[in-house]
């Protein structure tokens, strides 16, 4: 049942993405409003789906990768929607929606995962903090990659000297740089705190050495290090603009691989999650 | 009851005639009342801009009203009717309705698709409405014309992009910097085009204007006109760090700004975006600079190409715009006959 409902959400977002794309490409202001409405409706439906899933299976809602992706995609689309609405970054959703669609699709595919382990259904305090921080950090980093993609597109339009239809629709480079910087900073800090809280829990459980063998942990650590490098470049103002935006996109690909690593990893604490 | 328009515009009349027949805003109410006193039309709206003077009227005997209106205009402008009668046009409905829709949408303007006219049509209507010169027909017609104009902007690209070099430069600057109120412009040289572009930037709130030239007196003149500060040529490099938009327009027969210079500037600016507009011919800025990250270099041809492209895009929308206007005219005529005004 949940799979079909999730599929409905997926198609809602897909319809929104198509309308957004048409509005962007055809320069049609008339399609922008319906696109927003379709996405908003899908967000509401998606939001209602999360508590209903909890009622159906009363355990912590992100104990499998499918559930994790379902929650992340919801948080991401809701935050992108709010940012687009409040920060006047029109068409941010056009760049967030493809990532959300991939996440939703994976959530549908992985919906038949095994039942969560007993440990995860009765989550200890530190792990609540760990998953909460990682979730929020991940969501923020997705917003940063969306704004980085918009920055690169707008910058390419300006450099080409033949600005196309995208030029008029996209916000200014300054706006995108600000959004990118804020979301990147928030994402990196939250993500790092999430990793730190995971380590603290592992120490308490005397599993510290065990979790270091987990490929997802080592990859997350590496990703975090790359994010801090790029953020320090931006903070020290040694680099900004195109190069930082490209860096964000590159590291996000790495982050995505990290997320999926637990499915294919032969062993590890995060296996299947 | 019939809707008629009598008028002239930039297509039918030379500037000498247009300026004589132009009616300043503060005189419009008085003129309308005089037209009412002379029983010229039953309802009337006077639209007068720098490019057109038009009288929209509704009445039962419009032919006679038109003859009297022509005489009125002749008396008002102190020009013999014979000297400008050939410049006048008279449209009867449905052409008059279609004409107003085209005017409000900017299709009849000198700069195709401009938006200023929409505000002028609205003001003209409100002025007439305030002094009870309009009735049910003109109220509905003018309100509909405003809706049609907005509809056209939403459903077509008639207002897409800017079509003058200065406005294209401003549009580009607005896509680099969030708000021009926080941007600083430096002009090197005192060419006319540079002044125009600088003025356009200042009108959008560019914070301060630093004008630099080998002849400081000329720089001071331009700086004063633009509300900025004049700098000697030797001092300009020291102020680059705080500049966001650099406009070059000198007569120097060589490249003034080299790539290595710009590279050093960008380091000093912590890679903050720099928009360079090179209006000079021959060019003052090394073309290799455009390859630098976060530097956006445009020369006069680049700006002109964009303006031309935008104009071509607007022109390509004309057929669709006229189709929509024709449909709206039919719709309005349907309402008119339903209300038994026809």
């Amino acid at each position: 049942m949940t799979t079909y409902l999730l599929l409905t959400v997926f198609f809602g977002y897909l319809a929104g993405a198509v309308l957004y794309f048409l509005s962007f490409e055809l320069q049609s202001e008339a399609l922008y409003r319906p696109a927003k409405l379709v996405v908003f409706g899908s967000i509401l439906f998606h939001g209602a789906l999360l508590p209903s899933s909890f009622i159906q299976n009363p355990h912590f809602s992100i104990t499998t990768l499918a559930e994790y992706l379902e929650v992340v995609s919801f948080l991401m689309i809701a935050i992108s929607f709010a940012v687009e609405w409040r920060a006047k970054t029109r068409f941010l959703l056009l760049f967030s929606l493809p990532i959300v669609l991939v996440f939703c699709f994976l959530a549908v595919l992985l919906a038949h995962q095994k039942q969560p382990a007993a440990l995860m259904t009765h989550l200890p305090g530190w792990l609540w903090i760990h998953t909460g921080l990682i979730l929020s950090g991940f969501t923020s980093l997705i917003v940063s990659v969306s704004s980085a993609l918009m920055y690169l597109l707008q910058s390419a339009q300006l450099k080409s000297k033949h600005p196309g239809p995208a030029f008029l629709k996209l916000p200014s480079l300054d706006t995108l740089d600000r959004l990118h910087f804020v979301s990147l900073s928030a994402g990196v800090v939250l993500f790092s705190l999430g990793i730190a809280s995971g380590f603290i829990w592992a120490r308490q459980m005397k599993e510290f050495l065990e979790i270091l063998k987990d490929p997802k942990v080592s990859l997350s650590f590496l990703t975090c290090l790359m994010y801090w490098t790029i953020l320090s470049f931006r903070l020290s103002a040694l680099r900004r603009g195109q190069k930082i935006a490209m860096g964000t996109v590159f590291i996000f690909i790495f982050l995505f691989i990290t997320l999926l690593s637990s499915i294919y990893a032969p062993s590890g604490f995060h296996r299947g999650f | 009851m019939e809707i008629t328009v009598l008028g002239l515009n930039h297509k039918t009349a030379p500037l000498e005639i247009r300026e004589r027949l132009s009616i300043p805003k503060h005189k419009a109410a008085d003129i309308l009342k005089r037209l009412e006193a002379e029983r010229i039309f039953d309802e009337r709206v006077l639209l007068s801009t720098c490019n057109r003077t038009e009288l929209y009227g509704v009445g039962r005997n419009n032919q006679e009203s038109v003859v009297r209106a022509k005489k009125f205009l002749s008396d008002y402008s102190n020009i013999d009717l014979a000297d400008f009668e050939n410049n006048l046009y008279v449209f009867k409905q449905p052409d008059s309705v279609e004409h107003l829709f085209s005017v409000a949408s900017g299709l009849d303007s000198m700069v195709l698709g401009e938006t200023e006219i929409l505000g002028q049509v609205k003001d003209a209507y409100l002025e007439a409405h305030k002094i009870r010169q309009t009735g049910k027909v003109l109220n509905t017609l003018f309100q509909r014309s405003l809706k049609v104009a907005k509809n056209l902007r939403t459903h077509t690209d008639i207002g897409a992009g800017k079509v003058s070099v200065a406005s294209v430069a401003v549009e580009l600057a607005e896509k680099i910097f969030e708000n021009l109120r926080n941007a600083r412009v430096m002009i090197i040289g005192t060419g006319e085009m540079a002044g125009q572009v600088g003025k356009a930037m200042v009108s959008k709130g560019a914070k301060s204007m630093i004008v630099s030239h080998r002849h400081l007196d000329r720089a001071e003149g331009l700086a004063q006109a633009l509300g900025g500060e004049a700098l000697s040529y030797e001092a300009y490099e020291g102020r680059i760090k705080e500049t966001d938009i650099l406009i070059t327009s000198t007569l120097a027969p060589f490249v003034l700004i080299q790539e290595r210079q710009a590279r050093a500037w960008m380091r000093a600016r912590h890679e903050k975006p720099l928009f360079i507009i090179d209006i000079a011919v021959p060019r003052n800025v090394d073309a290799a600079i455009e390859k630098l990250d976060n530097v956006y270099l445009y020369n006069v041809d680049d700006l002109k190409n964009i303006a031309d492209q935008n104009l071509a895009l607007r022109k390509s929308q004309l057929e669709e715009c006229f189709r929509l206007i024709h449909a709206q005219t039919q719709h309005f005529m349907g309402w008119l006959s339903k209300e038994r005004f026809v």
Side-chain angles (χ1 to χ4, degrees), chain B residues 147-296:
Chain B
K147 279 185 191 164
V148 168
K150 283 177 188 163
N151 234 8
L152 244 61
R153 279 186 188 279
T154 310
H155 291 98
T156 71
D157 282 334
I158 194 66
K162 304 291 178 197
V163 290
S164 76
V165 167
S167 54
V168 165
V170 169
E171 191 173 54
L172 289 165
E174 283 179 328
K175 287 294 177 189
I176 297 172
F177 308 103
E178 192 165 22
N179 192 338
L180 287 189
R181 273 192 286 256
N182 302 325
R184 199 166 282 211
V185 187
M186 180 189 279
I187 302 179
I188 304 177
T190 48
E192 193 191 332
M193 180 77 91
Q196 279 176 16
V197 176
K199 198 176 168 187
M201 299 281 183
V202 168
S203 75
K204 289 283 178 179
K207 223 173 196 176
S208 71
M209 176 68 64
I210 307 165
V211 182
S212 170
H213 194 259
R214 287 181 195 276
H215 308 282
L216 198 59
D217 53 330
R218 275 196 249 165
E220 273 164 359
L222 184 56
Q224 205 173 7
L226 296 171
E229 159 195 11
L231 282 178
S232 68
Y233 183 74
E234 290 71 31
Y236 94 89
E237 271 207 82
R239 304 292 292 271
I240 278 289
K241 199 175 164 185
E242 59 192 272
T243 303
D244 301 298
I245 301 161
L246 176 65
I247 303 168
T248 60
S249 170
T250 76
L251 294 172
F254 51 84
V255 170
L256 280 180
I257 299 167
Q258 303 286 351
E259 196 230 353
R260 58 182 163 73
Q261 231 174 328
R263 205 180 277 277
W265 291 349
M266 290 310 283
R267 268 197 300 275
R269 296 167 52 79
H270 298 301
E271 297 290 327
K272 210 175 132 202
L274 178 64
F275 182 29
I276 304 178
I277 303 168
D278 185 3
I279 289 172
V281 179
R283 286 178 286 177
N284 288 163
V285 182
D286 182 1
I289 284 176
E290 70 186 12
K291 293 198 178 88
L292 296 179
D293 276 355
N294 305 315
V295 177
Y296 302 93

Side-chain angles (χ1 to χ4, degrees), chain B residues 14-23 50:
Chain B
L15 182 63
E16 304 84 65
I17 300 284
R18 291 203 315 268
E19 63 191 6
R20 297 284 292 273
L21 282 161
S22 171
I23 296 163
C50 52

Side-chain angles (χ1 to χ4, degrees), chain A residues 123-240:
Chain A
L123 214 58
W126 273 111
L127 279 194
W128 274 99
I129 297 171
H130 170 65
T131 44
L133 287 169
I134 293 280
L135 260 180
S136 348
F138 197 57
T139 308
S140 196
L141 290 173
I142 295 173
V143 173
S144 82
V145 80
S146 302
S147 48
L149 286 169
M150 288 168 87
Y151 187 99
L152 289 172
L153 184 59
Q154 184 66 301
S155 174
Q157 294 272 317
L158 282 160
K159 280 275 184 193
S160 74
K161 299 186 181 180
H162 296 286
F167 168 76
L168 289 173
K169 295 281 179 187
L170 290 171
S172 70
L173 291 180
D174 261 2
T175 308
L176 293 170
D177 187 55
R178 188 168 43 85
L179 177 65
H180 176 228
F181 178 61
V182 170
S183 53
L184 182 68
S185 310
V188 173
V189 170
L190 290 167
F191 197 64
S192 308
L193 289 173
I195 290 177
S197 59
F199 277 122
I200 293 170
W201 173 81
R203 268 180 75 97
Q204 282 183 352
M205 298 290 288
K206 302 196 189 321
E207 300 261 10
F208 192 70
L209 289 173
E210 271 311 300
I211 65 156
L212 286 179
K213 291 176 192 163
D214 186 341
K216 191 165 186 170
V217 173
S218 34
L219 281 173
S220 297
F221 194 70
L222 194 63
T223 311
C224 196
L225 201 69
M226 288 198 281
Y227 268 125
W228 273 110
T229 311
I230 209 147
L231 189 61
S232 59
F233 269 123
R234 178 64 179 80
L235 281 167
S236 65
L238 282 173
R239 287 273 175 272
R240 73 157 81 195

Side-chain angles (χ1 to χ4, degrees), chain A residues 75-93:
Chain A
L75 284 177
M76 184 197 160
I77 193 82
I79 289 175
S80 298
F81 191 87
V83 171
E84 180 171 322
W85 179 44
R86 299 291 300 167
K88 294 176 186 168
T89 44
R90 278 166 72 95
F91 290 99
L92 176 69
L93 278 172

Side-chain angles (χ1 to χ4, degrees), chain B residues 295-315:
Chain B
V295 177
Y296 302 93
L297 170 65
Y298 281 73
N299 62 38
V300 72
D301 278 3
D302 298 328
L303 297 175
K304 184 123 190 11
N305 284 344
I306 295 173
D308 290 347
Q309 266 177 27
N310 290 340
L311 188 61
L313 177 65
R314 286 187 184 191
K315 280 182 180 166

